[in-house]
């Protein structure tokens, strides 16, 4: 058997007993988690429609005849999937849950026009919410009682929607012609309650004013959220109790449900702005509040997808370990820059510092998705600087390089990649890349899209996805090559990822007004980097080639970014 044929073999015999045990355990965890997620939908009727361009999902128990309707809206960079815990909880307890994707978000192709805080953007969001509320009031199951539930940005939009006074209409500016106002509820369809989950309010609510402020308003916050946001809700509750804000007690109702003045503040322990959407405390508080307003008795069932999703994805990560041992061997020697600690640190540190400084004065407004243009430039410039540092370091006098110390993977004769004594199979490389991408897409990306948040991009995002893929690929290739090789020190992969995140944070500090929403994805990127680090290490030890993980991880991260932020005009 030739070297090339040995390289492309899948070596099923390489699976040890420990590999089989880990694979079996992982599959059991995945099946348990997935079976609960699928079983939780049993008995529910889900209808997907469009109200204009707005995608809407209507969820209810199959036998529901008449029930209150709850329109559920997500926050900035959210989607219907992110609010599914509330929709499922309410539907399983007899409500009709109506979930929507705001313009620019999820599967909604309409751009989110205007800047943050502009009246044009507020009007577009109000229009979308109003159209869905109007449609919800025509459902055969609608019994005349209506509530809104909004997270973050949608909490403020819902508060504005509840204000039916002429003064609440967004004003047109000199350079912003007036557009038709959002339709208002007719008196028969007045809102009975509003649940605001971690809202950022654009203005103080003050005391309850019928027709001007929401009736029966519940605030839910995570205990780990910024104090400034939480204090807004506390002040709103204090306004109806005629008490100072610091006298307001969580989980105590102030005001009266009878006249609509009831308000309550609930704080969910051990969660932040996104984790609150999966908190059993938050879900139960919303259900109990609506049951009190509508004088109903529910089963009390609460969606627990957070734990079951964690079980599934833990299994998916564990399963990747033994499966990587089935990948073909690509290179006869480990490829990479082969840098020691001092030289690698120098090559990694300068791009982290220079990239935000270089991009600071440059305009970033060439992609349709907010923030994505800056992220693409950050990846590209960072990759270029890393490649430059690699080239400069290689010119410095050092010990004679090994065959693995190449600046990149050039293609050799006979379909082999590499030079010197390293023999690299192009066919094995292609097989390995396709296998890893297929695993990430089917086992990780698809369940995320079904049960966590919008992840599979719609066609209107393909152009941005292509640009982001080029940018992330450039960085992952440079970074993987930088951190691999026989002489690379332990902790190298973690070091470069920490420096990259610090570089993004520095960019936000330098341009807080424009890049503030980068803060939203930095925790998500950190989580992905941890998972990528595990996958990349396992793949590299088996294949000997750093670019397999680079290609797969770049596509996954580009997709995550492309679908996370709204399409902007």
């Amino acid at each position: 058997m030739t070297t090339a044929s040995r390289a492309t073999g899948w070596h099923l015999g390489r699976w040890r007993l420990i590999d089989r045990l880990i694979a079996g355990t992982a599959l059991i965890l995945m099946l348990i988690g997935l079976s609960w997620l699928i079983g939780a939908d049993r008995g529910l009727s889900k209808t997907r429609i469009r109200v204009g361009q707005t995608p809407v999902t209507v969820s209810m128990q199959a036998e529901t005849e008449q029930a209150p309707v709850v329109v559920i809206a997500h926050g900035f960079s959210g989607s219907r999937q992110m609010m599914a815990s509330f929709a499922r909880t309410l539907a399983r307890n007899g409500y009709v849950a109506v979930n929507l994707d705001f313009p620019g978000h999820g599967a909604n192709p309409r751009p989110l026009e205007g800047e943050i805080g502009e009246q044009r953007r507020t009007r577009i969001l109000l229009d979308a919410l109003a159209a869905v509320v109007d449609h919800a009031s025509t459902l055969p199951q609608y019994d005349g009682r209506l509530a809104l539930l909004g997270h973050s940005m949608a909490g403020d939009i819902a508060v504005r929607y509840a204000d039916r006074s002429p003064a609440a209409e967004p004003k047109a500016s000199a350079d912003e012609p007036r557009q038709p106002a959002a339709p208002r509820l007719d008196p028969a369809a007045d809102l009975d309650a509003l649940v605001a989950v971690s809202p950022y309010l654009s203005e103080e609510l003050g005391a309850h004013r019928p027709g001007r402020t929401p009736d029966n308003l519940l605030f839910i916050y995570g205990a780990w959220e910024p104090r400034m946001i939480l204090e807004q809700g506390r002040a709103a509750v204090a306004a109806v109790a005629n008490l100072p804000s610091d006298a307001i007690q969580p989980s105590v109702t102030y005001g009266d449900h009878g006249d609509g003045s009831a308000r309550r503040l609930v704080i969910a322990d051990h969660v932040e702005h996104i984790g609150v959407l999966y908190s059993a405390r938050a879900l139960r508080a919303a259900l109990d509040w609506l049951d009190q307003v509508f004088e109903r008795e529910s089963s009390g069932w609460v969606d627990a997808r957070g734990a079951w999703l964690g079980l599934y994805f833990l299994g998916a990560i564990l399963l990747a370990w033994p499966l990587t041992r089935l990948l073909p061997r690509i290179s006869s020697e480990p490829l990479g820059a082969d840098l020691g600690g001092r030289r690698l640190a120098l090559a990694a540190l300068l791009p982290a510092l220079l990239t935000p400084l270089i991009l600071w004065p440059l305009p970033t407004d060439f992609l349709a998705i907010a923030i994505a243009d800056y992220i693409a430039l950050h990846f590209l410039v960072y990759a270029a600087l890393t490649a430059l540092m690699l080239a400069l370091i290689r010119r410095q006098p050092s010990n004679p390089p090994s065959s693995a110390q190449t600046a990149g993977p050039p293609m050799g004769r006979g379909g082999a990649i590499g030079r010197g004594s390293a023999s690299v199979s192009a066919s094995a490389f292609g097989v390995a890349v396709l296998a890893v991408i297929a695993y990430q897409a089917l086992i990780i990306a698809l369940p995320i899209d079904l049960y966590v948040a919008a992840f599979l991009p719609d066609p209107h995002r393909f152009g941005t996805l292509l640009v982001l893929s080029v940018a992330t690929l450039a960085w992952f290739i440079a970074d993987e090559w930088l951190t691999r090789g026989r002489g690379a020190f332990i902790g190298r992969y973690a070091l470069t990822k920490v420096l990259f995140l610090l570089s993004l944070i520095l960019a936000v500090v330098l341009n807080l007004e424009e890049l503030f929403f980068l803060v939203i994805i930095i925790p998500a990127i950190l989580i992905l980097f941890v998972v990528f680090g595990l996958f990349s290490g396992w793949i590299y030890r088996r294949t000997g080639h750093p670019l397999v993980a680079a290609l797969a991880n770049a596509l996954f991260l580009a997709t995550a970014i492309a679908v996370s932020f709204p399409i902007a005009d």
Side-chain angles (χ1 to χ4, degrees), residues 37 63 123 135 198 287 328 435 532:
L37 293 167
E63 67 276 8
R123 184 180 299 112
H135 177 81
S198 302
L287 176 63
F532 289 164

Side-chain angles (χ1 to χ4, degrees), residues 322-348:
L323 288 185
T324 55
R325 292 180 56 80
L326 301 180
L327 293 175
R329 185 73 183 177
I330 297 172
S331 175
S332 59
E333 295 186 23
L335 297 177
D338 202 16
L339 298 180
R342 183 177 301 176
R343 302 174 85 197
L344 187 145
L346 178 64

Side-chain angles (χ1 to χ4, degrees), residues 203-243:
E203 56 188 28
E204 292 185 5
L205 276 179
H208 177 64
R209 294 163 293 166
R212 297 293 308 277
T213 58
D215 289 348
N216 300 318
L217 176 54
L218 172 67
F219 291 97
I220 302 174
Y221 294 92
W224 295 344
E225 298 201 59
R227 184 176 180 84
M228 176 190 70
I229 296 178
L230 194 151
E231 287 303 317
Q232 288 186 322
R234 192 182 294 276
V237 175
V240 299
N242 197 25
L243 292 171

Side-chain angles (χ1 to χ4, degrees), residues 523-548:
I525 292 179
L526 174 61
I527 294 172
L528 289 179
F529 277 171
V530 172
V531 177
F532 289 164
L534 294 173
F535 285 7
S536 177
W538 299 334
I539 293 167
Y540 179 72
R541 281 192 288 273
R542 172 62 191 138
T543 65
H545 205 300
L547 302 193
V548 176

Side-chain angles (χ1 to χ4, degrees), residues 476-564:
F476 269 102
I477 289 175
D479 184 78
E480 288 282 347
W481 201 265
L482 174 69
T483 57
R484 300 305 181 188
R486 291 186 185 278
F489 73 99
I490 296 175
R492 60 207 179 269
Y493 195 91
L495 172 65
T496 60
K497 304 310 173 291
V498 169
L499 288 175
F500 183 85
L501 292 175
L502 291 176
S503 182
L504 283 180
I505 293 172
L506 178 58
V508 174
V509 171
L510 291 173
N511 193 358
L512 184 61
E513 183 177 353
E514 295 292 331
L515 301 180
F516 173 77
F517 282 101
L518 268 179
V519 176
I520 294 175
I521 67 166
I522 287 177
I525 292 179
L526 174 61
I527 294 172
L528 289 179
F529 277 171
V530 172
V531 177
F532 289 164
L534 294 173
F535 285 7
S536 177
W538 299 334
I539 293 167
Y540 179 72
R541 281 192 288 273
R542 172 62 191 138
T543 65
H545 205 300
L547 302 193
V548 176
L551 290 168
N553 292 344
L555 179 59
F556 192 95
L557 183 58
T559 302
I561 296 171
V563 301
S564 294

Side-chain angles (χ1 to χ4, degrees), residues 70-226:
V70 184
V71 176
I72 302 171
H74 60 78
F76 185 83
S77 294
S79 60
R80 285 173 293 169
Q81 293 94 318
M82 287 189 70
M83 304 301 294
S85 291
F86 283 98
R88 186 184 283 178
T89 294
L90 295 174
R92 286 289 298 267
N93 283 279
Y95 291 90
V96 178
V98 181
N99 221 344
L100 73 142
D101 280 341
F102 272 125
H105 295 75
N108 194 325
R110 182 184 178 184
L112 181 60
E113 301 174 17
E115 300 295 330
I116 296 174
E118 284 187 1
Q119 297 296 345
R120 178 170 52 151
R121 173 170 289 193
T122 300
R123 184 180 299 112
I124 287 171
L125 296 171
L126 280 170
D127 286 349
L129 180 61
V132 173
V133 170
D134 286 350
H135 177 81
S137 65
T138 67
L139 294 173
Q141 295 80 13
Y142 174 56
D143 69 357
R145 295 178 290 177
L146 183 69
L148 295 182
L149 188 152
H151 174 239
S152 192
M153 170 189 75
D156 182 59
I157 295 301
V159 168
R160 287 172 175 259
Y161 184 81
D163 187 347
R164 295 183 295 281
S165 68
E169 291 295 340
K171 302 296 189 300
S173 62
D175 58 349
E176 186 182 344
R178 184 173 180 81
Q179 299 179 8
R184 294 299 183 191
L185 296 171
D186 53 29
D190 282 350
L191 291 174
D192 297 291
L194 169 60
V195 178
V197 183
S198 302
Y200 178 78
L201 301 178
S202 58
E203 56 188 28
E204 292 185 5
L205 276 179
H208 177 64
R209 294 163 293 166
R212 297 293 308 277
T213 58
D215 289 348
N216 300 318
L217 176 54
L218 172 67
F219 291 97
I220 302 174
Y221 294 92
W224 295 344
E225 298 201 59

